[in-house]
């Protein structure tokens, strides 16, 4: 066999496919051994059980939300959910307009409220502070020593805000207890003082009313601190950029706080997000330009985190639950099981129908579907590991629907091969020619499938995405399988005796397909485009014409010989009739329909008649 | 036995011995399609729209699975005990599954109704799922679906026009697609099938399927009509018709193979799972696949032929073919 023949190429392609599959399997195996990969797909909440909420962020003022704001919104929710101690929550954006929160189990009302609560950043002055632990229960400050407001508070830093109740609350607060660090359910009223923890330092504070709302922040950034001489120092700083109103208020606040002087806790102001203190810096200067710089023991990470949090301050997002679904784990498992059963039944029906339509060729369809299934399964597991892709019920539906669409590529190909056989080609060339034509059709139609999947994936909301994803994935798997499995296998099968000779059970029986061999003997080929029906209609005529032709070709030499003989030995009646030039010329037979009949009487000579019989027999074969 | 006849059927279609006049009778198909579209538009108007699912109305929904008790009254009582003036819609959606829909309940109410359902139907807490949908959710889904529809049709039209190098094929394919969509929507309205976000996904998938089918048939048409102008064997319309006939076996096989898995989801979905993602999706697909195949054969291909028939070059070619035929007829 030549090294470059279709058989060798087919085998090589199959080896490549095997290598690809093995590579994916090894990748997944290694992933599950050394990393978090698993041999089963990760399941979405509707199959695994849990709660899925789709949240629509609402920006105050009704302006549209930008993708950047949405990302920040996701970050806010992630911090809240993580802070509330829910493990394995997943928070994603979708279609650039919604946030999807997926939680295992059923969230308690607190968590739900928390997720919906608007992100409120505010700047409050510190009234007093202290270490985070609660005062020992048996030794609270005696009632008569509690601070008593002497007068109405004059400004936000006025200690007269502190009432005995507030102080008791402050004393009881234990910032070492993780529960106290959970974001507040109900935001404290802006015009009232509050107590709050600073999770980073585990300190606690009594804070005055809000002085600057977070909406006054234009943006925030972080970087290495610069000295007054402009040298870059090795410490990190966070810079806030206020808007005009914020600049004005912040100048007034810093003037007041700076005047209090360092050492007094009231020199500090607290940046509060969701009721927790993000940072409580002291005031080292009056900030007239609205660009305060916060310095301290920042690492690059903590500086980045603070500046991100400050940016939310410019983003008064609240969330509205658009849809919420709670699915019990058993129901999810039921749905998955029934979905898989539906898929298996579908696959079985397709297999039966393929066998019915294509006989043993149907086995190629089934094998191809199996290969496509294995590739898709591996891809889903690997994507679950690397991209956290989770298979949803809609995704399972997509996989099942894809069985039909995948099988269609094979049908297009097989029908093309059959068409080629009907045109009279041998199986080997029918497979090659059919493939050349089917390939283009398959590529064009799969492009439509992929396009649909991509459009669905990018614009759709809800569980459409999982569906679109599996549709796209299977379209790609289908292309790989048609090119790297189905076609090479058919190339190899075409060389087997069973398929090559068109066994009635092969599904490629030329006789059954009405095929008439292209090669018609005597070194002549029939045109592939020539329709068998034309041949069938003129069959008898054609056969006799054929007979004439063969006769004359065979006859010609003898006739010439006889003519030569006759020329030498005088004339004979039979010889001169056979030597008729119109009969001797094959083209004349084809053009003049009446001529062969005219020559028939001439063949009554004994030698000529015998040859006519034998050549007619040849034609029948 | 029947396979033999099916193969013969394929052979005869291929050779042209057996031929269905898809193109010749195009005006009849267009008339039928026109009437179907008209009905599909009138029905929703007369009926006052579609049977919209809870996703479009907003509200709370509970599903009780694996219960032997399918008494509707239990579900109604579970809700009215908590919210006296509520009007719950309780349906037995599958063999052992009850669905209770109400207006939006608060969290506390949801929990109480849940407890009532657990005790009322005698199931475990795990068998009751609840969901709540805001009234804008369905609108969001439909808006995105419309955007998706627009983007897909536009891109697919461009893709087809480039691939086939003629905008007329793209136009014919899109026209057939619109017919399929409108009639599917009409069927939904007529039969009162519930329109849910899953059904809308199904709609969008029909787009993909219908167009996919059209591309395969058009590919054959392009092949058959590639050098039609220099041939005197068949007219353009006949050549298109032959292509449709030659791909008919494929169209039938493809539709059957596509519909088998969908039908099995639909069957299992309806009888065992009840309304939900799988059932809604597969119902839309089931209708859409049948209509998509019919749309390609009866609308897209004949329309393409009709769009091109008046091209001067093809008219000239048709005259040549007819001339040759009348000469041959005279000769015989």
């Amino acid at each position: 066999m030549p090294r470059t023949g279709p058989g060798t190429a087919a085998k090589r392609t199959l080896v490549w496919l095997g290598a690809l599959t093995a590579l994916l399997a090894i990748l997944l195996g290694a992933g599950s051994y050394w990393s978090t990969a698993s041999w089963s797909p990760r399941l979405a909440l509707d199959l695994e059980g849990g709660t899925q909420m789709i949240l629509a962020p609402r920006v105050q003022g009704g302006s549209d939300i930008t993708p950047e704001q949405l990302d920040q919104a996701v970050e806010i929710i992630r911090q809240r959910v993580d802070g509330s101690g829910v493990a394995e929550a997943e928070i994603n954006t979708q279609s650039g307009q919604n946030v999807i929160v997926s939680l295992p189990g059923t969230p308690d009302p607190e968590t739900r409220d928390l997720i919906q609560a608007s992100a409120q950043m505010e700047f409050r002055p510190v009234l007093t502070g202290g270490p985070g632990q609660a005062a020992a229960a048996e030794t609270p400050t005696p009632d008569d020593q509690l601070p008593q407001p002497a007068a109405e508070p004059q400004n936000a830093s006025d200690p007269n805000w502190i009432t005995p109740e507030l102080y008791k609350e402050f004393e009881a607060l234990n910032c070492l207890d993780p529960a106290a660090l959970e974001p507040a359910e109900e935001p404290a009223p802006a015009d009232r003082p509050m107590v709050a923890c600073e999770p980073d330092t585990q300190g606690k504070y009594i804070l005055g009313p809000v002085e600057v709302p977070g909406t006054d922040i234009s943006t925030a950034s972080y970087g290495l601190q610069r000295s007054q001489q402009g040298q870059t120092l090795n410490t990190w700083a966070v810079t806030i950029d206020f808007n005009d109103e914020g600049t004005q208020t912040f100048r007034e606040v810093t003037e007041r706080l700076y005047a209090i002087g360092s050492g007094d806790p009231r020199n500090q102001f607290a940046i509060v997000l969701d009721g927790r203190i993000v940072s409580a810096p002291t005031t080292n200067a009056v900030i007239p330009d609205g660009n305060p710089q916060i310095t301290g023991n920042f690492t690059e990470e903590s500086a980045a985190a603070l500046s991100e949090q400050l940016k939310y301050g410019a983003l008064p997002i609240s969330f509205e639950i658009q849809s919420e679904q709670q699915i019990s784990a058993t129901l999810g498992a039921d749905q998955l099981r029934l979905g898989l059963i539906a898929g298996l039944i579908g696959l079985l029906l397709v297999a039966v129908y393929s066998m019915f339509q294509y006989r043993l060729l149907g086995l190629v369809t089934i094998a191809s579907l199996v290969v496509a299934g294995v590739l898709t399964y591996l891809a889903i597991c690997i994507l679950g590991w690397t991209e956290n892709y989770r298979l949803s019920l809609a995704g399972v539906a997509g996989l099942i629907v894809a069985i039909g669409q995948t099988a269609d590529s094979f049908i297009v190909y097989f029908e093309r091969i059959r068409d080629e056989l009907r045109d009279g080609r041998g199986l080997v060339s029918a497979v090659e020619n059919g493939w050349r034509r089917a390939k283009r059709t398959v590529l064009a139609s799969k492009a439509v499938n992929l396009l649909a999947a991509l459009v669905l994936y990018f614009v759709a909301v809800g569980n459409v995405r999982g569906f679109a994803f599996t549709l796209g994935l299977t379209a790609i798997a289908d292309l790989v399988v048609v090119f790297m499995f189905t076609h090479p296998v058919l190339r190899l099968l075409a060389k087997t005796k069973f398929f090559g000779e068109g066994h009635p059970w092969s599904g490629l029986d030329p006789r059954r397909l009405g095929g008439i061999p292209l090669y018609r003997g005597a070194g002549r080929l029939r045109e592939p485009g020539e329709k068998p029906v034309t041949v069938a209609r003129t069959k008898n005529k054609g056969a006799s014409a054929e007979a004439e032709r063969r006769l004359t070709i065979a006859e010609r030499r003898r006739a010439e010989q006889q003519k030569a003989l006759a020329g030498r030995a005088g004339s004979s009646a039979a010889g001169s009739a056979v030597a008729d030039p119109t009969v001797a010329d094959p083209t004349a037979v084809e053009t003049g329909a009446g001529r062969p009949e005219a020559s028939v009487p001439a063949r009554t000579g004994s030698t000529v008649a015998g040859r006519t019989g034998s050549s007619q027999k040849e034609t029948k074969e | 036995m029947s396979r033999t006849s099916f193969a013969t059927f394929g052979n005869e279609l291929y050779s042209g011995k057996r031929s269905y006049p898809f193109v010749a009778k195009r005006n009849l198909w267009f008339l039928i399609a026109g009437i179907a579209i008209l009905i599909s538009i009138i029905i929703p108007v007369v009926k006052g729209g579609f049977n919209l699912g809870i996703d479009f109305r907003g509200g709370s929904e509970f599903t009780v699975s694996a219960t032997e008790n399918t008494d509707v009254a239990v579900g109604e009582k579970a809700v009215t005990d908590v919210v006296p003036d509520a009007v719950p819609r309780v349906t037995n959606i599958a063999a052992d599954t009850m669905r209770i829909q109400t207006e939006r309940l608060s969290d506390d109410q949801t929990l109480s109704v849940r407890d009532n359902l657990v005790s009322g139907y005698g199931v475990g807490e795990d068998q009751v799922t609840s969901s709540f949908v805001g009234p804008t959710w369905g609108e969001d889904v439909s808006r995105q679906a419309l955007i998706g529809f627009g983007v897909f049709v536009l891109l697919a039209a461009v893709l087809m026009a480039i691939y086939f190098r003629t905008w007329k094929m793209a136009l014919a394919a899109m026209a057939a697609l619109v017919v399929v969509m409108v009639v599917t929507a009409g069927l939904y309205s007529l039969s009162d099938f519930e329109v849910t976000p899953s059904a809308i996904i199904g709609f969008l998938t029909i787009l993909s399927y219908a167009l996919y089918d059209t591309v395969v048939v058009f590919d054959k048409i392009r092949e058959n009509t590639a050098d039609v102008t220099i041939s005197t064997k068949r007219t353009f319309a006949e050549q298109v018709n032959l292509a449709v006939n030659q791909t008919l076996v494929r169209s039938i096989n493809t539709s059957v193979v596509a519909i088998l898995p969908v039908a099995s989801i639909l069957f299992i979905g309806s009888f065992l799972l009840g309304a939900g993602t799988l059932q809604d999706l597969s119902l839309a697909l089931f209708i859409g696949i049948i209509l998509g195949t019919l749309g390609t054969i009866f609308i897209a291909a004949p329309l393409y032929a009709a769009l091109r028939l008046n091209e001067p070059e093809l008219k000239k070619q048709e005259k040549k073919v007819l001339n040759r035929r009348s000469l041959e007829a005279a000769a015989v």
Side-chain angles (χ1 to χ4, degrees):
Chain A
M1 190 192 294
R3 286 180 62 82
T4 50
T8 322
K11 279 178 195 155
R12 199 177 299 147
T13 316
L14 285 175
V15 168
W16 275 113
L17 178 68
L20 176 73
T21 316
L23 190 76
L24 289 177
I26 289 169
L27 187 67
L28 188 61
S32 63
Y33 190 78
W34 283 292
S35 182
T36 55
S38 156
W39 284 98
S40 53
R42 302 189 69 174
L43 298 178
L45 280 179
D46 57 350
L47 294 178
E48 205 180 39
T51 303
Q52 187 180 58
M53 287 183 242
I54 296 173
L55 305 169
R58 298 274 178 263
V59 177
Q60 277 165 27
S63 53
D64 279 346
I65 194 157
T66 64
E68 200 189 14
Q69 287 175 319
L70 196 65
D71 287 344
Q72 291 183 345
V74 168
E75 201 51 45
I76 294 173
I77 296 179
R78 184 166 290 142
Q79 287 190 353
R80 289 176 180 175
V81 174
D82 287 351
S84 67
V86 175
E88 275 196 51
E90 279 193 37
I91 298 127
N92 298 307
T93 60
Q94 192 180 58
S95 314
Q97 57 170 3
N98 286 325
V99 178
I100 297 196
V101 181
S102 305
L103 309 165
T106 308
D108 48 26
E110 289 77 30
T111 312
R112 287 181 82 255
D113 289 343
L114 194 65
I115 289 168
Q116 285 187 85
S118 57
Q120 290 288 2
M121 173 168 279
E122 43 201 33
F123 287 65
R124 289 171 182 259
V126 171
L127 299 178
T128 186
Q133 66 269 34
E138 56 273 24
T139 58
T141 312
D143 280 0
D144 55 339
Q145 286 173 33
L146 285 172
Q148 285 290 343
E152 280 296 300
Q154 296 299 305
N155 56 45
S157 298
D158 195 323
N160 281 326
W161 284 109
I162 305 173
T163 59
E165 293 76 33
L166 191 65
Y167 198 79
K168 274 187 183 166
E169 196 189 329
F170 173 68
E171 282 204 316
L173 183 64
N174 180 6
C175 288
L176 304 182
D177 176 6
L181 296 181
E182 277 182 23
E185 277 170 47
E186 292 267 314
D191 55 352
R192 303 291 308 156
M194 66 179 286
V195 296
C197 293
E198 185 180 7
D200 286 353
T201 60
Q202 295 182 328
K204 59 179 178 179
Y205 296 90
I206 299 180
L207 306 175
V210 174
E211 292 209 289
V212 185
T215 42
D216 281 352
I217 300 174
S218 296
T219 184
S221 58
Y222 71 99
L224 285 169
Q225 200 186 342
R226 283 176 180 276
S227 71
Q228 283 177 340
Q229 288 77 35
Q231 287 168 308
T232 306
L233 303 176
N234 203 18
T235 50
W236 292 92
V238 175
T239 307
I240 303 173
D241 187 8
F242 283 109
N243 64 15
D244 290 345
E245 204 176 324
T247 304
Q248 170 74 18
T249 337
F250 199 68
R251 189 177 66 221
E252 289 163 14
V253 172
T254 49
E255 274 169 2
R256 191 181 72 230
L257 297 188
Y258 186 60
I260 291 171
S262 61
D264 192 314
R266 291 192 301 137
N267 171 256
Q268 289 168 280
F269 66 89
I271 303 166
V272 185
L273 178 67
D274 286 345
R276 284 178 302 172
I277 297 172
V278 173
S279 176
T282 53
T283 312
N284 298 330
V286 174
I287 312 287
D289 60 355
N291 287 312
Q293 197 179 47
I294 305 170
T295 56
N297 296 321
F298 285 126
T299 62
E300 184 176 357
E301 288 75 34
S302 63
L306 179 59
S307 86
E308 279 299 305
Q309 284 174 320
L310 286 165
K311 274 188 203 166
Y312 307 151
L315 189 74
I317 292 180
S318 61
F319 301 95
E320 189 180 67
I321 297 187
Q322 274 204 322
S323 101
E324 181 183 336
Q325 219 183 354
Q326 274 149 24
I327 294 186
S328 74
T330 52
L331 187 71
D334 271 5
Q335 299 221 340
L336 180 61
R337 192 171 49 86
L338 290 172
L340 290 180
I341 290 175
L344 273 179
I345 293 176
L347 194 62
L348 199 72
L349 289 173
V350 168
V352 168
Y353 187 79
S354 303
M355 293 290 285
F356 174 68
Q357 276 294 326
Y358 297 102
R359 299 270 160 130
L360 287 186
L361 206 54
L363 286 179
V364 179
T365 305
I366 297 161
S368 303
L369 280 175
V370 168
V371 174
V374 168
L375 284 176
T376 311
Y377 187 85
L378 287 174
I380 285 176
C381 290
I382 289 175
L383 287 169
W385 167 41
T386 57
E387 309 295 319
N388 201 18
Y389 171 73
R390 283 164 178 266
L391 192 62
S392 64
L393 195 58
V396 173
L399 288 177
I400 298 170
V401 170
I403 296 173
Q405 298 215 334
T406 305
D408 182 54
S409 311
F410 312 143
I411 293 176
V412 169
Y413 183 24
F414 293 167
E415 286 299 330
R416 284 291 195 176
I417 295 177
R418 284 185 161 188
D419 286 355
E420 297 292 325
L421 289 174
R422 286 174 180 134
D423 278 339
R425 286 187 200 277
L427 185 58
V428 173
S429 75
V431 164
E432 296 305 317
N433 274 303
W435 173 243
R436 230 182 32 218
R437 293 168 160 202
K439 187 165 67 177
R440 281 193 352 196
T441 311
V442 168
L443 281 175
S445 51
K446 282 295 146 186
V448 171
N449 269 357
L450 268 177
L451 182 69
L454 280 175
V455 170
L456 274 180
Y457 187 80
F458 284 109
V459 303
V461 292
N463 50 7
V464 182
R465 270 198 144 170
F467 182 77
F469 189 86
T470 44
L471 272 191
L473 193 68
T474 48
I476 295 170
D478 180 21
L479 279 181
V480 171
V481 168
V482 174
F483 275 76
M484 295 184 75
F485 183 78
T486 316
H487 176 52
V489 163
L490 270 177
R491 274 179 148 182
L492 292 177
L493 287 180
K495 293 181 169 261
T496 62
K497 200 168 164 232
F498 182 81
F499 282 94
E501 291 184 356
H503 190 279
W505 277 94
S506 67
L508 292 171
D509 177 6
R511 286 171 291 271
R512 209 184 277 271
L513 294 169
I516 289 158
L518 272 180
Y519 187 70
R520 299 177 81 195
R524 293 178 321 112
L525 282 169
R526 189 168 60 84
E527 279 298 305
E530 198 179 317
K531 293 291 170 267
V533 66
T534 334
V535 179
R537 198 169 53 224
T538 58
K539 197 175 175 183
N540 292 331
K541 218 195 234 173
S544 53
E546 192 84 25
E548 297 298 337
R549 249 172 273 167
R550 299 214 179 175
L551 170 84
T552 50
I553 292 164
E555 197 66 34
R556 186 156 52 191
R557 285 195 198 115
R558 289 178 196 282
E560 277 165 6
Q561 281 172 5
Q562 281 182 354
K563 197 176 173 185
L565 282 171
R568 272 185 233 152
S571 67
S572 87
S576 69
V578 173
D580 183 343
T582 54
V583 179
D585 183 351
T587 54
V589 175
E590 279 181 350
T591 47
R595 294 298 184 111
E597 270 79 24
S599 68
V600 167
R603 278 182 227 136
T604 46
S606 61
T607 52
V608 178
R611 280 188 206 108
T612 308
S614 74
S615 60
Q616 268 170 347
K617 196 172 147 215
E618 257 173 45
T619 317
K620 274 179 200 152
E621 276 170 0
Chain B
M1 181 53 215
S2 56
R3 198 204 77 98
T4 313
S5 57
F6 204 78
T8 315
F9 178 65
N11 300 341
E12 290 177 357
L13 286 172
Y14 183 76
S15 63
K17 189 173 167 196
R18 182 197 290 257
S19 178
Y20 297 101
F22 297 115
V23 175
K25 292 215 169 151
R26 59 184 178 274
N27 287 332
L28 177 63
W29 318 135
F30 295 164
L31 183 72
I32 294 172
I35 293 171
I37 287 181
L38 212 63
I39 294 173
S40 300
I41 292 172
I42 291 172
I43 286 177
V45 172
V46 172
K47 290 190 69 172
F50 297 88
N51 176 15
L52 295 177
I54 195 168
D55 300 271
F56 294 89
R57 304 191 309 268
S60 295
E61 179 179 291
F62 299 86
T63 311
V64 183
S65 49
T67 173
E68 277 163 25
N69 184 353
T70 53
D71 187 0
V72 169
V74 177
E76 282 171 352
K77 193 171 177 300
V79 177
T80 47
D81 275 357
V82 179
V83 191
D85 53 348
V87 189
R89 304 209 304 189
V90 184
T91 1
N92 183 3
I93 50 171
D96 52 359
T97 310
M98 301 296 292
R99 184 179 68 187
I100 298 98
Q101 297 183 323
T102 69
E103 74 249 41
R104 185 181 176 179
L105 303 176
S106 73
D107 291 343
D108 293 343
Q109 290 170 331
T110 304
L111 287 177
S112 313
V113 171
R114 219 184 136 92
D115 290 345
N116 286 352
L117 289 172
V118 167
S119 55
Y121 282 110
V123 291
E125 235 175 81
D126 248 9
Q127 309 301 333
V128 179
T129 68
S130 65
S131 65
F132 141 71
V133 183
T136 56
W137 173 232
E139 287 165 26
D140 267 22
V141 173
S142 356
R143 192 192 57 234
Q144 289 297 108
L146 268 180
I147 295 174
F149 176 75
V151 172
F152 175 71
V153 165
L154 207 73
L155 288 177
V158 171
L159 186 83
M160 286 186 83
I162 292 172
Y163 178 73
F164 289 117
R165 293 184 194 86
T166 162
W167 58 269
K168 288 181 176 174
M169 273 197 173
L171 181 69
M174 295 308 142
L177 197 63
V178 169
V179 174
V180 170
M181 297 303 286
V182 172
V183 175
T184 310
L187 273 175
Y188 257 76
S189 178
L190 178 71
S191 56
D192 260 342
F193 291 137
E194 199 174 61
V195 179
T196 62
S198 298
I200 288 181
I201 309 175
F203 266 32
L204 291 175
T205 317
I206 296 171
L207 295 180
S208 155
Y209 182 85
L211 215 54
Y212 170 92
D213 198 51
T214 310
V215 166
V216 173
V217 174
F218 275 15
D219 216 45
K220 182 69 184 170
I221 292 179
R222 179 172 75 159
E223 193 184 301
N224 279 18
T225 58
D227 44 13
V228 70
T229 46
I230 53 164
S231 148
T232 55
K233 208 181 237 165
R234 290 190 183 85
T235 67
F236 179 76
E238 287 164 351
Q239 212 47 281
V240 171
N241 200 53
L242 179 70
V244 178
N245 277 290
Q246 286 181 336
T247 43
L248 198 59
V249 170
R250 186 223 63 110
S251 296
I252 294 170
N253 281 350
T254 301
S255 314
V256 172
V257 162
I259 224 156
L260 287 176
V262 172
S264 80
I265 306 181
L266 189 61
F267 184 81
I268 289 212
S270 308
F271 288 96
L272 298 171
L273 274 177
T277 307
L278 286 182
Q279 195 197 12
D280 298 344
L281 197 73
S282 50
L283 181 66
L285 280 174
F286 190 82
I287 299 169
I289 287 175
I290 295 173
L291 288 179
T293 310
L294 294 178
T296 300
I297 294 174
F298 288 98
I299 310 289
L303 187 60
Y304 172 63
L307 280 175
R308 286 201 58 184
L309 276 184
N310 284 327
E311 288 178 15
E313 218 172 322
L314 291 176
K315 281 205 108 87
K316 218 163 74 190
Q317 189 265 349
E318 189 181 339
K319 210 169 278 172
K320 267 196 304 195
V321 173
L322 296 180
N323 267 341
R324 185 185 63 87
R325 279 195 195 149
S326 56
L327 279 178
E328 270 181 8
V332 170

